[in-house]
Each structure stands twice: as C-alpha cells, then as structure tokens.
C-alpha cells in the first residue's frame, strides 16, 4: 500500500526563520512528487519534482527530491506570516497507479 | 482562464440521505479525480475519471459513485450517508492526454456535514 509520512506534523516559528519540511514515501511505480500549500480549502500547487537532485525554486521556497532514499524536503527561507498553512506532499505513481497519495501534512504557524 | 470549480461549497445532509457534488475541470483538462479530506487528515483518493470511465478507485465503499460527462465535468454521488462521511470533498483536474505527468490542480472543495 502506498504510504507518505511527513514531519514534523506541526511547527511554530517566528517571522524571518528558515524551516525545512520533510516527506518520505513509498509509492508503486513512482513517477513524480508534488508539493501543495493548503490555507483554508483548495490545496494550491507549489512544485512538481520528477528527477533526483534537481532543486526547484520559487522565491523563498525550494524543494529537492531523493529518489534513491525516497524522500523530499521543502525549504522556506525568511518566513512570513502569510506562509502559515498546511504543507502537503503527494507522490504520484505511474502505470495503472494514477492517484496522488497524501500524508497528514505539516501545519506551519509563523508568528510575527 | 477558470480554474477547477466545484459546487455546492457547503451543504448539510441527514444520515441516510444521498448527495451529489459537481466539478468542472480547468480549461483544457480531461481527467478528474475526487478526494475526501477529513479534519486533520490529508486528502484520500476516492476515484479518477478519464474518457467517461472510472480508471482507478481508492478504498471507498460502493456507496461512493461518480460520473464524467463528454465535456469532462464530473459528479460524485454518495448514497446512504453516514456521520463519518462528513468531510471536505476535493475535485482535482489534470491534462492526461497531453501530459500524463502534468500538474494537478484542485478546486475549492465542497464541505459536507452529515447530521
């Protein structure tokens, strides 16, 4: 059965801090891993990673994938209160395994 | 360019009733998936539709059924509602025909409360 474990489950930091969110996974026919930010309802897309070692960046956010060790990390530098959200990691399979498998997410709270 | 749209946004149903949730995928997308997200949990895969067929199903009972129309829009039906069906139901769309590993976008969700 496909499995995703995210850590920590929750994290409280002050504005300006740097955070690292972890995601380990086991997915049949792994093809890619997606990161989402969920504030109230719709998870909003952040990154899709398909290759090991290639860091994806978007402003203060960056992510990297290790397909050998089956994990990914999401880094957020110079955190802002607007970064407060649940961060979801979702690996996706291939072949006949089309679904995204989600962990419980990491609840990030950034205090001013 | 409209994103993924879902309706209704909130609804309250009584145990034993039936509910239908609707989803219009992002323009250009042909594949629709449904997820259930209970409080404090990540979304759980219900099923995926492509070319009007259910292509993959998660671990949900057959009280959960769906449909995809020729215009790619989709419905999720849940019969004989239980209290445990109370959750946020998310629709996700992607462009399978063009890019099998394309980005997946989510709608705002439908909050279902069963009393």
């Amino acid at each position: 059965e496909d499995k995703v474990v995210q850590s920590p489950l929750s994290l409280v930091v002050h504005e300006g801090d740097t955070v690292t969110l972890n995601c380990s996974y086991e997915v049949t026919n792994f093809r890619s891993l997606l990161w989402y930010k969920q504030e109230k309802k719709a998870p909003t897309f952040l990154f899709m990673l398909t290759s090991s070692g290639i860091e994806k960046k978007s402003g203060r956010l960056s992510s990297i994938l290790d397909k050998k060790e089956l994990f990914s990390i999401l880094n957020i530098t110079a955190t802002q209160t607007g970064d407060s959200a649940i961060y979801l990691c979702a690996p996706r399979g291939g072949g006949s395994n089309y679904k995204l498998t989600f962990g419980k997410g990491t609840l990030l709270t950034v205090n001013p | 360019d409209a994103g993924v749209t879902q309706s209704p946004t909130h609804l309250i149903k009584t145990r034993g009733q039936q509910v239908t949730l609707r989803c219009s995928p992002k323009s250009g997308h042909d594949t629709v998936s449904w997820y259930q997200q209970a409080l404090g949990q990540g979304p759980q895969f219900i099923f995926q539709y492509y070319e009007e067929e259910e292509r993959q199903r998660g671990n949900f009972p057959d009280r959960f059924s769906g449909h995809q129309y020729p215009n790619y829009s989709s419905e999720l039906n849940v019969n004989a509602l239980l209290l445990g069906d109370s959750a946020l139901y998310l629709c996700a769309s992607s462009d399978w025909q063009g890019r099998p590993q394309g980005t997946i976008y989510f709608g705002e969700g439908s909050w279902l409360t069963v009393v």
Side-chain angles (χ1 to χ4, degrees), chain B residues 6 11-12 17 42 44 48-51 53 65 69 86 93-94 97 111:
Chain B
Q6 292 187 241
L11 69 167
I12 300 174
Q17 285 189 315
Q44 298 295 307
Q48 183 181 87
Y49 277 84
Y50 172 66
E51 292 189 334
E53 297 281 337
S65 63
Y69 294 94
S86 295
S93 78
S94 57
Q97 186 72 1
W111 276 108

Side-chain angles (χ1 to χ4, degrees), chain B residues 20-99:
Chain B
T20 297
L21 308 178
R22 294 177 175 83
C23 171
S24 292
K26 183 177 170 63
S27 178
H29 284 188
D30 57 10
T31 303
V32 172
S33 301
W34 287 92
Y35 291 80
Q36 180 196 66
Q37 186 174 23
L39 276 176
Q41 302 294 318
Q44 298 295 307
F45 176 75
I46 303 175
F47 41 55
Q48 183 181 87
Y49 277 84
Y50 172 66
E51 292 189 334
E52 302 178 53
E53 297 281 337
E54 182 184 290
R55 181 160 67 171
Q56 185 181 8
R57 188 180 182 92
N59 293 325
F60 280 80
D62 58 11
R63 297 186 298 110
F64 290 76
S65 63
H67 189 80
Q68 185 179 36
Y69 294 94
N71 66 353
Y72 308 122
S73 67
S74 177
E75 289 180 354
L76 165 65
N77 299 293
V78 187
N79 294 323
L81 285 167
L82 304 174
L83 296 179
D85 295 332
S86 295
L88 176 66
Y89 288 85
L90 294 163
C91 172
S93 78
S94 57
D95 174 15
W96 182 267
Q97 186 72 1
R99 299 192 300 157

Side-chain angles (χ1 to χ4, degrees), chain A residues 32 36 38 41-42 48 92 98, chain B residues 37 56 101-102 104 107-108:
Chain A
S32 59
Y36 290 88
Q38 187 174 30
K41 284 191 176 181
M48 182 168 69
R92 174 165 57 182
Y98 307 101
Chain B
Q37 186 174 23
Q56 185 181 8
Q101 290 294 317
I104 297 174
E108 290 287 311

